[in-house]
Amino acid sequence: MVGSLRDLAPIILVIGFFQLVVLQQPLPDLVGVLTGVVFVVLGLTFFIFGLEMGLFPIGESMAHAFARKGSASWLITFAFALGFGTTVAEPALIAVAAEAAQVAANGGMIENNPDARSVYASGLRFTVALSVGLAIVLGVVRILKGWSIQYMIMGGYVLVVIMTALAPKEIIGIAYDSGGVTTSTITVPLVTALGVGLASSIEGRNPMIDGFGLIAFASLTPMIFVMAYGMIV
């Protein structure tokens, strides 16, 4: 809890300074704000504790188990399912997809009714989830083969630039935001643990060099897939 308070202190100081010194206004609903801060500190504390106790160990242990089993097909299947499942459940992506559907309906790009908005939001979510699943598979294959991440990432962003020039302008911002919201509270811990555990289990692989980088693929591919989704839909 002390660590959580230390991490949140800069945010609290910045908000307090601009509210009291720059805007020169008292905090609205001071009791509610302080109660909210307490809940945030408690939530962050339990979240970090849960990661260290549960998600990181299970991700690493499963990576070690798949490496010992020696089945590349099952490992790749697990990597895709992990990327797809964690992304579909990502709260930030759910919020962005719902907001994008509402804006698309208000802008006349889709029908403004609950069914059309739901279909659009679900299509966006599943498109991003599919892209992240394939991204994790690509990252796992890179670890297995020992490929260099630099050229793969540069090639990916060249494709992003090309897609940006071709995609409808209405989808570009959503696509770029989708790349950010996929790498959030659920996806990052499990995917990071999977990469580090897998690199630690394979002879000749360095966990520092080869174990990280899966998150970069998970941020990159949604931009490409969502722009393609916008071009199709």
Side-chain angles (χ1 to χ4, degrees):
M1 192 173 294
V2 172
S4 298
L5 281 170
R6 185 175 60 248
D7 294 337
L8 289 171
I11 303 174
I12 296 172
L13 291 174
V14 167
I15 294 175
F17 173 79
F18 279 92
Q19 182 74 26
L20 300 176
V21 178
V22 178
L23 298 178
Q24 296 183 349
Q25 295 179 358
L27 287 171
D29 188 15
L30 181 59
V31 175
V33 170
L34 292 178
T35 303
V37 170
V38 170
F39 284 138
V40 169
V41 171
L42 291 173
L44 184 60
T45 300
F46 287 122
F47 176 67
I48 298 297
F49 187 68
L51 291 182
E52 294 175 349
M53 176 179 287
L55 292 187
F56 280 128
I58 195 172
E60 292 188 12
S61 66
M62 291 190 75
H64 287 297
F66 276 115
R68 288 195 303 269
K69 189 177 181 64
S71 175
S73 59
W74 277 114
L75 175 60
I76 290 173
T77 302
F78 171 72
F80 177 82
L82 179 68
F84 186 92
T86 55
T87 305
V88 165
E90 194 64 67
L93 177 60
I94 295 173
V96 168
E99 189 67 24
Q102 184 63 55
V103 172
N106 293 338
M109 288 176 284
I110 60 173
E111 294 183 19
N112 195 356
N113 60 66
D115 290 338
R117 291 195 299 269
S118 176
V119 169
Y120 186 89
S122 297
L124 187 61
R125 282 177 60 201
F126 284 113
T127 298
V128 174
L130 175 65
S131 70
V132 174
L134 295 176
I136 304 306
V137 168
L138 182 62
V140 166
V141 172
R142 180 190 72 85
I143 295 174
L144 295 175
K145 299 292 186 180
W147 294 337
S148 175
I149 190 174
Q150 296 94 319
Y151 299 108
M152 298 177 71
I153 293 295
M154 286 189 288
Y157 276 104
V158 168
L159 185 56
V160 168
V161 172
I162 295 172
M163 293 289 291
T164 302
L166 299 176
K169 62 181 184 297
E170 293 86 359
I171 201 67
I172 292 174
I174 298 172
Y176 277 58
D177 283 348
S178 298
V181 298
T182 54
T183 52
S184 189
T185 53
I186 299 177
T187 308
V188 170
L190 281 170
V191 171
T192 302
L194 173 66
V196 173
L198 186 61
S200 302
S201 305
I202 300 175
E203 186 177 354
R205 299 292 179 266
N206 186 325
M208 183 62 69
I209 297 174
D210 301 304
F212 294 91
L214 270 70
I215 302 301
F217 290 117
S219 299
L220 174 61
T221 54
M223 292 186 270
I224 299 170
F225 275 64
V226 171
M227 282 190 278
Y229 175 76
M231 295 168 68
I232 296 171
V233 174

